[in-house]
Amino acid sequence: MAGKRRVALVTGGTGGIGRETCRQLAAAGLRVVAADLPGDDARQQDFALAMQGHDVSFVAMDVTDPAGCERAIAAISASHGPVDVLVNGAGITRDAVLRKMSRDQWDQVLSVNLDSVFTLCKLLAEGMCERGYGRIVNISSVNGQTGQFGQTNYAAAKAGMHGFTMALAREVARKGVTVNSVSPGYIRTAMTAAIPEDVKQQVLAMVPTGRIGEAADVARAVVFLCHEDAGYLTGVNLPVNGGLFISF
Ligand code: CAA
């Protein structure tokens, strides 16, 4: 990568997919900032250990707090310079059938998974447009394409990310900024570890590649879309689901 090294911000940066994305972006030569809730000391140490030898720093950020996001981004701009690459990876599940889903379970998932994409893009897209370069990748989900039993909240948020991606891609395309989605299937993370074992086995039986995905599989797709040379790729969704949902 010639000239100034690009700066990448990854929300949900210490989670399963997030940390592998940070590692691979750094390995590709970017200066990476992982944004996440502070977590406990053990999690922080574990993250620091996993990032050893890579240019990845950490910033505490609650993506549901727009003012806090703004402060964190100001701090990143001061320490690293403007953010060129944004990966919206922060995501949670609060699974329940609609009949049992509380308003709070709905609000939490929409706030972390979808409202945060508005917040971060609003804070960063304008600067990217002014500088004539940007890469935005929204981590959605296969369940935002197909729906999933017990996930009206999550599927709505993840499908919402696709609409957001397509609309913003059109708005900023002329300014050198691309906006894309990556839709993971079932990936080995803490999120999927929490799925009841019988449900997990049912889902895995439907994956043509015959295995659960790894965070590295997803990160590879993110890095591809974040590449300097990927400027003609915008408004697309890149599924990384082992063939669980095949469509054109
Ligand atoms: N399809 C059809 N019926 C189902 C079903 C399914 N997938 N899952 C459960 N049911 C049925 C049950 O058999 C049961 O039927 P009966 O009432 O006739 O007995 C009924 O629905 C209620 O099921 P439960 O008793 O299990 O209800 P619950 O409230 O205890 O739990 C649930 C429901 C929360 C949805 C639970 O089944 C669950 O956690 N499922 C996993 C959901 C899932 O796959 N989440 C993905 C998380 S990972 C992720 O989201 C990452 C990503 O992006 C891919």
Side-chain angles (χ1 to χ4, degrees):
M1 204 171 291
K4 184 182 158 294
R5 286 169 65 207
R6 300 290 186 190
V7 175
L9 172 64
V10 181
T11 72
T14 69
I17 291 174
R19 69 171 58 189
E20 182 57 23
T21 299
C22 289
R23 205 188 57 75
Q24 287 196 23
L25 284 171
L30 285 84
R31 302 181 70 201
V32 181
V33 181
D36 216 321
L37 295 172
D40 57 20
D41 286 353
R43 190 179 162 107
Q44 282 286 352
Q45 278 167 17
D46 183 49
F47 180 71
L49 201 65
M51 293 304 127
Q52 243 173 19
H54 295 284
D55 188 351
V56 180
S57 43
F58 175 81
V59 65
M61 184 190 282
D62 175 353
V63 293
T64 68
D65 170 17
C69 290
E70 192 170 0
R71 283 194 297 275
I73 286 169
I76 296 165
S77 296
S79 59
H80 287 68
V83 174
D84 307 298
V85 174
L86 167 64
V87 180
N88 282 307
I92 59 168
T93 52
R94 295 289 181 268
D95 293 351
V97 292
L98 182 67
R99 189 166 43 86
K100 296 183 190 169
M101 188 178 289
S102 66
R103 181 82 214 185
D104 195 43
Q105 287 175 309
W106 171 266
D107 287 342
Q108 281 183 36
V109 169
L110 269 290
S111 175
V112 174
N113 297 17
L114 185 59
D115 292 349
S116 66
V117 176
F118 169 81
T119 300
L120 272 301
C121 288
K122 182 95 179 135
L123 287 167
L124 292 172
E126 199 162 317
M128 290 178 182
C129 288
E130 280 165 10
R131 293 185 299 278
Y133 182 86
R135 299 280 178 267
I136 298 173
V137 177
N138 298 319
I139 308 296
S140 181
S141 165
V142 66
N143 292 345
Q145 299 173 281
T146 63
Q148 174 58 292
F149 193 101
Q151 288 200 307
T152 49
N153 49 3
Y154 186 85
K158 293 301 191 181
M161 288 171 96
H162 291 309
F164 183 99
T165 296
M166 293 187 283
L168 185 61
R170 291 179 188 276
E171 292 184 18
V172 297
R174 281 178 187 275
K175 305 291 184 186
V177 181
T178 65
V179 189
N180 296 295
S181 302
V182 168
S183 291
Y186 284 70
I187 308 299
R188 193 191 311 277
T189 61
M191 187 182 275
T192 56
I195 303 172
E197 194 51 38
D198 55 330
V199 178
K200 206 184 310 180
Q201 290 313 320
Q202 280 169 26
V203 174
L204 280 179
M206 293 187 297
V207 179
T209 47
R211 67 167 175 90
I212 194 167
E214 301 297 338
D217 295 319
V218 180
R220 214 162 281 133
V222 177
V223 172
F224 173 67
L225 292 169
C226 290
H227 199 277
E228 297 261 351
D229 294 342
Y232 206 60
L233 260 171
T234 197
V236 306
N237 175 49
L238 189 43
V240 186
N241 61 32
L244 174 60
F245 177 59
I246 297 178
S247 69
F248 283 92

